């Protein structure tokens, strides 16, 4: 086997800084809080932590609206605090990855202010348009029917400039204009700036809306076709989105960013840094982000299939197989697969799949080939918080109304991390938290789960350790089957090395698998089992009976 690079064996962990650890009692997580918990990550077995945005921001979208891409949000700390974080991470041999948000800035960015005033060099920094005149009423209208992700029109009238600007997200997040080479270069500067600060790569935010279709000769953009998927004309799903997502230029831009990273390494040496990219697109499009025959792209375009296929079709062995096929059967040869169970935009894994499946899903992503990405709290089986309309702060929720907000808000998956069973779950010494805690923190927390004989956390740590030490899991080949009605089985083999078998029962009745049929009459040993399993660890041969929701690693 050819020698692999660090990221091909890595275990990635997403930190949502606002909710990870608060060091100064204001109820908001911060950099010093993260630094104080790096040993926890090390102990988990994490290779690289990705921090959601920590840059200067009015916090309309909690950091995804950046007003200064080159500085730290004061609530989170200072550049000095960041340097201390990097230093401590290096001591622990942990890598730090930052969020790179290329699609938009905050409307409070100096770039936007200059663009509003048509200052030289900034006139076309954003996507501006005169709009059109309604033939019947004679009134001014937005250029197209395009909708933002967070409900409502994607165009906003600007009084000063007397033009509309495009915002695929909130009104306060104007889209940068990637057809302007100055913008492209500016954003490459952002990458180089943080590489210089010692980060090991980036998670690139929101790739689908990076480019829009080119306007026609008269400067007009096409309307999107109404989809019929929803009758709610504010909801983006009201449209069949074709002109404002996944344009081919986006793929080339990712290749260019890769070049920035590779050039940096060529000039300054050190380890390679990685690009993880957030994209939602059909497989044929997504796979191009990995690169092509002549160019390298993202090291890891996120694989959200275990989220999206299940959301659409429900959790079952067949659908899990479908999600895995969708990635592995489309991935170009020689690339590294990856498996994502959740993030700060999706209901927490334990809530979405069902609490009883959290061990099973953690086993799945760590037994499958490639790398896994954990969202903070998945290792504990953290569940969603219950957030009232009054407490709702996510713009997607706020842009709706009390009767439908739960369908849009992302607050439930962003509640503070649960460290202890004490006051405010040990997240802060202060008396408040920026979002209420999830109700189950007294039992679901690091302290209790470390103290317990068995826990989700302990299972997670065993899996991480296994993944780190096993040549088979790192390099082996993979087979998987649906057996019986709802049993999912994965087998990893690698020459004469130990084989690994994972069996998960997604159904409601006992399932049986005859082990010798699957793996050359091998003798197996049960080494990890989901919480609540009544089997005893040890040698297995012949029939393996798996109970509903039980998950076993042999
Ligand atoms: O959240 C989604 C689906 O549940 C997506 O449509 C999401 O809006 C999209 O993937 C982009 O998300 C990213 O960029 C947004 C930010 O609000 C999200 O938190 C971030 O992950 C704008 O920067």
């Amino acid at each position: 086997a050819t020698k692999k690079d660090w990221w091909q064996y890595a275990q990635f962990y997403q930190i949502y800084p606002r909710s990870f650890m608060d060091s100064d009692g204001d109820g908001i997580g911060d950099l010093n809080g993260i630094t104080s918990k790096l040993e926890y990550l090390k102990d988990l077995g994490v290779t690289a932590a990705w921090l959601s945005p920590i840059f200067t921001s009015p916090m309309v979208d909690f950091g995804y609206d950046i007003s200064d891409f080159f500085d730290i949000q004061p609530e989170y700390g200072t550049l000095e605090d960041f340097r201390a974080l990097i230093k401590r991470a290096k001591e622990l041999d942990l890598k730090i990855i930052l969020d790179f948000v290329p699609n938009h800035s905050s409307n409070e960015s100096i770039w936007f202010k200059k663009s509003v005033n048509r200052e030289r060099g900034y006139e076309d920094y954003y996507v501006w348009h005169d709009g059109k005149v309604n033939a019947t009423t004679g009134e001014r209208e937005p250029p197209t029917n395009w909708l933002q992700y967070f409900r409502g029109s994607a165009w906003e009238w600007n009084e000063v400039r007397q033009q509309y600007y495009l915002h695929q997200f909130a009104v306060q997040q104007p889209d940068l204009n990637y057809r302007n080479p100055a913008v492209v270069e500016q954003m490459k500067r952002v990458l180089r700036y943080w590489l210089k600060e010692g980060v090991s790569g980036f998670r690139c935010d929101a790739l689908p809306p990076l480019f829009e279709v080119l306007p026609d000769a008269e400067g007009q953009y096409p309307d999107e076709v109404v989809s019929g998927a929803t009758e709610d004309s504010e909801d983006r799903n009201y449209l069949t989105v074709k002109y404002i997502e996944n344009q081919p230029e986006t793929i080339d831009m990712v290749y260019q960013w890769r070049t920035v990273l590779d050039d940096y390494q060529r000039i300054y040496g050190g380890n390679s840094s990685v690009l993880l990219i957030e994209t939602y697109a059909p497989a044929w499009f997504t796979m191009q982000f990995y690169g092509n025959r002549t160019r390298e792209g993202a090291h890891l375009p996120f694989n959200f299939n275990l989220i999206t296929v299940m959301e659409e079709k429900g959790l079952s062995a067949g659908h899990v197989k479908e999600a895995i096929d969708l990635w592995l059967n489309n991935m170009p040869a020689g690339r590294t697969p990856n498996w994502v169970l959740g993030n700060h935009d999706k209901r927490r894994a334990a809530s979405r799949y069902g609490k009883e499946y959290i061990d099973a899903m953690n086993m799945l992503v760590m037994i499958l080939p490639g790398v896994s990405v954990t969202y903070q709290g998945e290792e504990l089986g953290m569940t969603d918080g219950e957030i009232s309309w009054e407490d709702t702060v996510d713009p997607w929720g706020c842009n709706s109304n009390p009767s439908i907000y739960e369908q849009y808000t992302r607050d439930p998956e962003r509640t503070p991390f649960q460290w202890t069973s004490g006051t405010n779950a040990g997240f802060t010494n202060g008396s408040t938290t920026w979002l209420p805690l999830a109700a189950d923190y007294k039992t679901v927390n690091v302290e209790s789960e470390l103290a317990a004989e068995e826990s989700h956390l302990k299972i997670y740590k065993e899996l991480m350790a296994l993944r780190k030490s096993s040549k088979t899991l790192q390099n082996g080949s993979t087979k998987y089957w649906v057996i019986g009605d709802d049993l999912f089985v994965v087998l990893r083999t690698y020459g004469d090395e130990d084989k690994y078998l994972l069996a998960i029962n997604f159904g409601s009745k006992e399932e049986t698998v005859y082990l010798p049929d699957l793996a050359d009459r091998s003798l197996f040993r049960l080494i990890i089992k989901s919480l609540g399993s009544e089997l005893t660890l040890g040698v297995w041969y012949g029939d393996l009976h798996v109970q509903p929701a039980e998950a076993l690693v042999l």
Side-chain angles (χ1 to χ4, degrees):
T2 48
K3 196 176 166 338
K4 289 188 182 176
D5 205 354
W6 69 267
W7 53 271
Q8 293 170 293
Y9 295 122
Q11 329 263 12
F12 293 93
Y13 186 96
Q14 180 191 356
I15 291 181
Y16 194 68
R18 209 172 175 77
S19 297
F20 193 57
M21 181 66 196
D22 175 23
S23 72
D24 61 4
D26 64 357
I28 296 170
D30 48 43
L31 295 183
N32 289 338
I34 296 172
T35 307
S36 74
K37 293 296 186 185
L38 289 176
E39 272 169 54
Y40 168 73
L41 299 185
K42 185 70 196 171
D43 186 49
L44 278 186
V46 168
T47 315
W50 143 40
L51 313 186
S52 272
I54 54 171
F55 317 106
T56 319
S57 165
M59 292 286 156
V60 169
D61 193 17
F62 301 104
Y64 284 96
D65 50 321
I66 300 172
S67 52
D68 185 349
F69 286 79
F70 302 99
D71 209 348
I72 304 288
Q73 168 70 356
E75 277 174 323
Y76 292 167
T78 62
L79 200 54
E80 288 314 308
D81 296 332
F82 180 71
R83 288 177 177 151
L85 188 159
I86 294 284
K87 183 165 172 275
R88 182 74 190 120
K90 290 223 158 108
E91 284 164 11
L92 293 169
D93 194 25
L94 278 169
K95 295 190 159 61
I96 300 294
I97 291 170
L98 292 184
D99 218 307
F100 174 56
V101 186
N103 180 69
H104 45 267
S105 73
S106 159
N107 61 340
E108 292 187 20
S109 154
I110 185 78
W111 305 337
F112 187 68
K113 291 180 180 162
K114 288 183 176 177
S115 196
V116 164
N117 294 313
R118 297 180 199 260
E119 279 188 37
R120 209 169 133 218
Y122 291 88
E123 301 94 328
D124 300 322
Y125 241 63
Y126 296 83
V127 184
W128 294 101
H129 201 281
D130 292 335
K132 38 180 204 204
V133 179
N134 184 302
T136 341
T137 64
E139 277 176 37
R140 189 174 45 229
E141 276 181 357
T144 61
N145 67 348
W146 298 353
L147 295 170
Q148 54 166 303
Y149 285 94
F150 299 158
R151 298 176 60 78
S153 175
W155 296 102
E156 180 75 4
W157 178 252
N158 183 273
E159 272 303 327
V160 177
R161 177 148 164 162
Q162 290 287 301
Q163 275 189 314
Y164 288 94
Y165 66 85
L166 179 72
H167 58 94
Q168 296 228 38
F169 293 92
V171 169
Q172 299 89 342
Q173 293 167 295
D175 269 45
L176 287 157
N177 176 15
Y178 276 78
R179 305 216 180 262
N180 178 350
V183 169
V184 171
E185 189 47 37
Q186 178 70 272
M187 297 312 282
K188 288 180 182 172
R189 278 185 58 216
V190 173
L191 295 175
R192 292 188 196 106
Y193 180 86
W194 293 105
L195 284 171
K196 218 167 160 196
E197 289 292 335
V199 308
S200 299
F202 303 90
R203 173 269 189 183
C204 305
D205 179 70
L207 269 284
L210 196 69
F211 280 87
E212 296 74 39
V213 73
L214 274 166
D216 66 15
E218 275 83 56
Q220 296 307 313
Y221 291 109
D223 274 335
E224 296 280 12
V225 173
V226 173
S227 77
T230 164
E231 286 180 4
D232 179 352
S233 61
E234 300 286 292
D235 185 322
R236 188 165 167 115
N237 291 320
Y238 185 68
L239 304 175
T240 310
V241 170
K242 178 175 159 195
Y243 302 120
I244 54 175
E245 277 186 16
N246 296 329
Q247 303 301 305
E249 292 91 329
T250 308
I251 294 168
D252 183 69
M253 193 52 57
V254 170
Y255 295 175
Q256 292 188 38
W257 295 335
R258 173 64 182 263
T259 304
V260 171
L261 267 58
D262 288 351
D263 284 352
Y264 192 90
Q265 188 193 14
R266 195 165 315 116
I267 296 167
Y268 299 100
N271 287 322
S272 47
S273 45
V274 288
L275 282 181
L276 288 74
I277 64 161
E278 187 201 26
T279 184
Y280 288 89
W284 68 268
F285 193 84
T286 300
M287 294 302 164
Q288 297 182 58
F289 283 108
Y290 271 120
N292 59 28
R293 280 196 194 82
T294 54
R295 302 193 61 189
E296 290 296 311
H299 303 73
L300 300 163
F302 280 138
N303 172 5
F304 296 123
N305 294 341
L306 288 174
I307 300 176
T308 51
V309 174
M310 300 318 127
E311 264 178 354
E312 206 183 304
K313 306 186 171 179
L315 185 64
S316 72
H319 296 151
V320 165
K321 178 171 185 304
E322 190 180 321
I324 296 170
D325 281 340
L326 190 55
W327 198 268
L328 295 184
N329 296 348
N330 287 296
M331 193 182 71
R335 302 294 176 183
T336 304
N338 71 95
W339 311 97
V340 182
L341 292 182
N343 57 42
H344 63 296
D345 294 332
K346 299 288 181 187
R347 290 291 175 268
R348 284 199 175 109
S351 297
R352 198 162 7 91
Y353 299 119
K355 262 178 148 147
E356 66 278 29
Y357 287 107
I358 193 64
D359 300 322
M361 296 312 279
N362 281 331
M363 287 176 189
L364 184 64
V365 297
M366 284 195 250
I367 297 296
L368 286 172
V371 304
S372 62
V373 189
T374 297
Y375 175 55
Q376 64 179 45
E378 276 168 12
E379 73 276 29
L380 305 174
M382 270 179 71
T383 56
D384 293 331
E386 267 183 58
I387 315 287
S388 66
W389 168 251
E390 288 69 32
D391 285 339
T392 296
V393 289
D394 175 31
W396 207 339
C398 296
N399 283 351
S400 67
N401 63 59
S403 49
I404 57 169
Y405 79 99
E406 281 167 299
Q407 158 190 353
Y408 297 106
T409 179
R410 297 167 296 176
D411 292 330
E413 56 264 32
R414 299 174 177 182
T415 58
F417 192 85
Q418 296 158 199
W419 294 102
T420 71
S421 54
T423 314
N424 286 329
F427 163 72
T428 178
N429 292 328
S431 52
T432 56
T433 56
W434 77 280
L435 275 177
L437 291 159
D440 57 10
Y441 79 88
K442 290 227 151 83
T443 50
V444 180
N445 63 68
V446 174
E447 182 189 57
S448 307
E449 294 197 26
L450 283 179
E453 185 95 29
E454 293 178 315
S455 65
H456 299 308
L457 180 57
K458 286 196 164 164
I459 292 168
Y460 180 91
K461 285 176 67 173
E462 283 177 54
L463 289 164
M464 293 281 265
L466 190 64
R467 185 62 171 277
K468 268 218 158 112
S469 61
S470 161
K471 289 202 175 78
T472 306
L473 294 183
Q474 292 175 356
N475 306 307
S477 58
T478 311
K479 282 186 186 166
Y480 46 95
W481 305 267
V482 175
I483 291 174
D485 284 338
D486 231 343
L487 186 72
F488 189 68
V489 175
V490 184
L491 178 70
R492 304 287 317 273
T493 51
Y494 188 53
D496 292 336
E497 298 282 330
D498 282 346
K499 299 178 173 65
Y500 287 91
L501 186 134
L502 166 67
I504 305 172
N505 185 349
F506 286 105
S508 49
K509 61 171 180 46
E510 181 182 291
E511 297 276 3
T512 302
V513 53
Y514 184 62
L515 295 177
D517 276 357
L518 297 185
D520 298 337
R521 313 200 69 76
S522 302
L523 195 64
F524 277 97
R525 196 155 52 86
L526 177 60
I527 53 170
I528 309 179
K529 53 180 190 157
S530 55
L531 208 57
S533 166
E534 279 162 16
L535 294 181
T536 24
L537 301 180
V539 174
W540 285 89
Y541 186 77
D543 278 337
L544 177 72
H545 302 288
V546 192
Q547 303 308 313
E550 193 172 37
L552 308 166
V553 179
L554 296 95

